């Protein structure tokens, strides 16, 4: 009986370790710019809004940022080459929970406006 209980506890622990957090939902927008320019505009907008850039890699097409004044608020911006431009994808977590993607509309609109003002 004791062995069965120990085996059950071990199986539960192993199953818990094997589970992975699902990726957070995303919001995306298509822009008519090269991926590098889109990421650059994204970094500029994030910094203006108080984000600290933790990682920015143009080759990967990815930027990771955290909000300086709000602990646990982290975003990921990805740029993917697409027909006629770039697809920007934004996702995030706050306190380990996914952020509602509708909250990214303002950021994506600001990035798009910055890119359009450069033309």
């Amino acid at each position: 009986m004791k062995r069965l209980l120990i085996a059950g506890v071990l199986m539960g622990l192993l199953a818990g370790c094997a589970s992975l957090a699902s990726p957070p939902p995303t919001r995306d927008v298509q822009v008519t710019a090269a991926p590098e320019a889109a990421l650059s505009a994204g970094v500029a907008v994030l910094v203006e809004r108080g984000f600290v850039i933790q990682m920015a890699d143009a080759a990967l097409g990815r930027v990771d940022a955290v909000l300086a004044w709000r602990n646990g608020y982290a975003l990921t911006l990805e740029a993917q080459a697409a027909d006629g431009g770039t697809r920007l994808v934004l996702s995030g977590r706050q306190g380990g929970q996914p952020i509602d993607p509708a909250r990214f509309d303002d950021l994506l609109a600001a990035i798009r406006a910055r890119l359009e003002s450069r033309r």
Side-chain angles (χ1 to χ4, degrees):
M1 179 72 169
K2 192 174 185 178
R3 284 186 179 171
L4 184 59
L5 181 61
I6 291 172
V9 169
L10 287 175
M11 292 297 284
L13 290 173
L14 290 175
C17 293
S19 65
L20 298 174
S22 62
T26 62
R27 191 69 131 205
D28 63 271
V29 67
Q30 181 95 13
V31 295
T32 55
E36 296 82 13
L39 276 181
S40 178
V43 166
V45 168
L46 289 171
V47 169
E48 285 174 357
R49 304 230 174 160
F51 284 87
V52 175
I53 306 303
Q54 291 187 312
M55 188 277 298
D57 190 325
L60 289 176
R62 181 179 169 141
V63 173
D64 291 334
V66 294
L67 197 51
W69 52 271
R70 186 178 244 171
N71 192 21
Y73 195 97
L75 298 181
T76 298
L77 175 65
E78 294 178 285
Q80 304 162 352
D83 291 337
T86 300
R87 180 175 172 250
L88 290 174
V89 180
L90 196 53
S91 64
R93 292 190 178 275
Q94 181 175 7
Q97 298 299 314
I99 297 171
D100 177 12
R103 293 182 62 190
F104 303 138
D105 289 345
D106 186 47
L107 278 172
L108 290 170
I111 295 168
R112 176 180 265 166
R114 180 176 290 268
L115 287 166
E116 289 173 356
S117 71
R118 291 182 180 178
R119 289 186 202 168

